[in-house]
Amino acid sequence: MKDSAADRVAQFVEDLLKGRRPRRFSATPEEAEAMSAAAGLAAARVGSDLPDKAALERIHRRLSERLDDSPAVDGRYSRRAWLRTVGTAAAAVVVGVAIDEAVTRRGSSAPTATEAEVLTPDGGQWRPVAALEQLPPGQAMTVSTAAMDVVVVNDGGQISAVSGICTHLGCKLQPDNADKRLACPCHQTAFSWTGKLLYYRLKSAPPDLPRIQSRVNNGQIELFV
Amino acid sequence: MGLIELRPGGRPEPDPEAAVYTDWESVYQDNVVGIYQLAFRRVGNAADAEDVAEEVLIRTLHTLRFPAAVHNVRAYLVKTARSVLADHWRRHYAAQNAVVELEQVPAPGLAGPPNSVASERAQRMLALLPDQFRRVLELRFLRGYSVREVANEMGVSEANARVLQFRALRKAATLEQEVLR
């Protein structure tokens, strides 16, 4: 059975999304067009388009072999040098992806996934914090209660809430709606809307953000705080 | 310890017009991430992006004479990237006129924050798509649904989901060119 154009492009997309080098084939102009758009979209996933340390090491080593009269001492690339290269350029280190589905990337190491803890304060109760209509889909807002700062998120109609305080040193996180993340201004750490750690430039990975119980009741967003 | 470790921390760049590179290491260090990101946006996977980035750097560095002005080197890197990427599509997918309209890269540096360019472009492009097309691409690319899951979600067969995906990507390709202009 011959594959259709849609099937061939679907296989190409599948390879990209699985982080594999896609199979080569002779594409029609229409297919190539679609595949090129697919490549652009695959790059739009948070964290996908930064090289990992191993990739930079390989590029550096091969450049040394092909260019250098005085080859690099041992061809290795220290973590600090990597941080500097990636850091100066991108100010972030990829450790995961924003979408919760894992995206496999050659040589990359995702942080060990730990189920985010749910923060349930002693003596907490359901308190309304905002009208649902104040928080349109695709937006996050910070809510301060007496006890804590909380970021409430409307992701496509689904309301959720996480602690609004960075798990590293307690800086207040800033919601970034465009990229659906919460950024820490102190050390460039970033979390997804679900509280998962996305980037950090620290010696060790800070924990994911605790989740806060939330619900919608009569058009009001309520948090258990 | 690699050579890079020995470099002093800050590269002095008092006047961007006057800044020069004096060795390949500094060209590499300044630009490798930006070139990789640029390549990734056009090939969509890490393995190919790595190969393309390496090829762009090697071709550029072979022809450079040091000292070389930073802004010249960067312009040349982008030009080379365009040609390496066109080769990539031609060689691997027989795509003759693979449009490699690289976006203009702003002078101060080739690297941006991760995904900023790609996701901003994707968002603009998705916003312009008809509902069905936008939905299939969002589910598949941004939410990581499998074709089967997309089919279930949208109430169509898997074969139809693949066709829908193909059409949506073709539409996206035409929109992307408009968005890039």
Side-chain angles (χ1 to χ4, degrees):
Chain A
M1 189 190 93
K2 276 207 120 180
D3 283 348
S4 69
D7 293 335
R8 284 190 296 270
V9 170
Q11 183 58 52
F12 180 86
V13 169
E14 182 69 16
D15 286 339
L16 293 188
L17 295 179
K18 289 271 161 65
R20 296 188 292 247
R21 191 196 294 273
R23 202 158 43 96
R24 314 309 194 190
F25 65 96
S26 192
T28 65
E30 291 75 26
E31 287 163 14
E33 217 175 75
M35 286 152 61
S36 168
L41 282 167
R45 295 165 306 158
V46 172
S48 65
D49 74 344
L50 270 185
D52 59 29
K53 179 171 174 269
L56 288 178
E57 255 174 31
R58 285 189 298 268
I59 296 174
H60 187 259
R61 191 184 59 238
R62 289 191 298 251
L63 288 181
S64 303
E65 287 164 4
R66 293 169 72 175
L67 288 169
D68 224 351
D69 17 27
S70 57
V73 179
D74 60 1
R76 286 185 62 91
Y77 203 58
S78 74
R79 177 165 178 81
R80 256 180 62 215
W82 178 70
L83 283 175
R84 193 148 66 235
T85 305
V86 173
T88 52
V93 175
V94 183
V95 296
V97 292
I99 44 180
D100 290 343
E101 290 79 11
V103 174
T104 48
R105 289 205 303 132
R106 193 165 57 157
S108 72
S109 58
T112 36
T114 46
E115 190 57 43
E117 139 201 21
V118 177
L119 201 60
T120 310
D122 287 340
Q125 52 179 285
W126 288 104
R127 296 173 207 271
V129 291
L132 183 55
E133 60 198 32
Q134 286 176 274
L135 186 65
Q139 300 222 342
M141 65 192 278
T142 304
V143 174
S144 298
T145 72
M148 59 180 101
D149 282 323
V150 180
V151 175
V152 188
V153 169
N154 183 340
D155 193 358
Q158 196 75 304
I159 302 294
S160 61
V162 292
S163 161
I165 298 298
C166 184
T167 50
H168 176 223
L169 288 180
C171 298
K172 204 166 163 176
L173 297 168
Q174 296 168 346
D176 170 354
N177 291 335
D179 285 328
K180 291 195 175 186
R181 65 177 104 175
L182 309 172
C184 179
C186 298
H187 293 92
Q188 296 170 324
T189 306
F191 299 89
S192 76
W193 273 2
T194 58
K196 279 217 178 343
L197 178 67
L198 297 176
Y199 308 106
Y200 66 97
R201 297 188 69 192
L202 308 165
K203 284 209 179 96
S204 57
D208 291 343
L209 299 173
R211 286 180 294 133
I212 312 290
Q213 295 179 74
S214 61
R215 70 182 185 191
V216 177
N217 189 15
N218 272 335
Q220 290 286 311
I221 298 171
E222 297 183 346
L223 302 178
F224 194 79
V225 288
Chain B
M1 182 190 291
L3 290 177
I4 286 176
E5 280 291 20
L6 301 172
R7 291 175 52 78
R11 283 178 301 283
E13 283 190 334
D15 173 8
E17 290 297 307
V20 294
Y21 291 123
T22 53
D23 56 15
W24 74 261
E25 287 274 359
S26 48
V27 175
Y28 163 83
Q29 197 178 339
D30 248 16
N31 298 290
V32 63
V33 174
I35 291 292
Y36 180 98
Q37 290 184 306
L38 191 150
F40 198 106
R41 290 199 287 278
R42 293 294 161 186
V43 297
N45 74 96
D48 286 335
E50 181 180 329
D51 290 351
V52 167
E54 180 187 340
E55 190 58 28
V56 170
L57 283 163
I58 204 89
R59 279 199 209 175
T60 304
L61 291 167
H62 267 316
T63 55
L64 277 188
R65 294 289 168 268
F66 293 112
V70 166
H71 63 274
N72 286 346
V73 172
R74 286 183 172 152
Y76 192 66
L77 281 166
V78 173
K79 197 171 149 221
T80 309
R82 192 176 292 131
S83 128
V84 172
L85 283 162
D87 285 353
H88 171 89
W89 282 94
R90 196 176 307 121
R91 180 152 19 112
H92 298 309
Y93 300 104
Q96 280 314 316
N97 27 354
V99 193
V100 186
E101 298 269 340
L102 287 185
E103 58 277 13
Q104 292 305 306
V105 176
L110 288 171
N115 308 96
S116 55
V117 176
S119 58
E120 196 231 6
R121 271 188 9 209
Q123 293 303 339
R124 273 193 291 164
M125 188 264 292
L126 287 171
L128 296 173
L129 283 174
D131 282 350
Q132 285 276 86
F133 285 176
R134 179 173 58 244
R135 186 114 182 89
V136 70
L137 296 186
E138 273 176 356
L139 289 174
R140 193 84 178 93
F141 285 88
L142 302 183
R143 307 198 50 193
Y145 278 44
S146 68
V147 169
R148 176 176 301 169
E149 288 164 340
V150 170
N152 285 342
E153 178 80 17
M154 300 186 67
V156 297
S157 71
E158 283 186 47
N160 279 343
R162 281 191 288 269
V163 169
L164 202 54
Q165 173 178 261
F166 177 51
R167 292 192 185 145
L169 286 170
R170 288 202 55 198
K171 181 72 183 163
T174 53
L175 284 176
E176 197 176 39
Q177 295 195 33
E178 287 164 27
V179 169
L180 270 181
R181 271 192 199 124

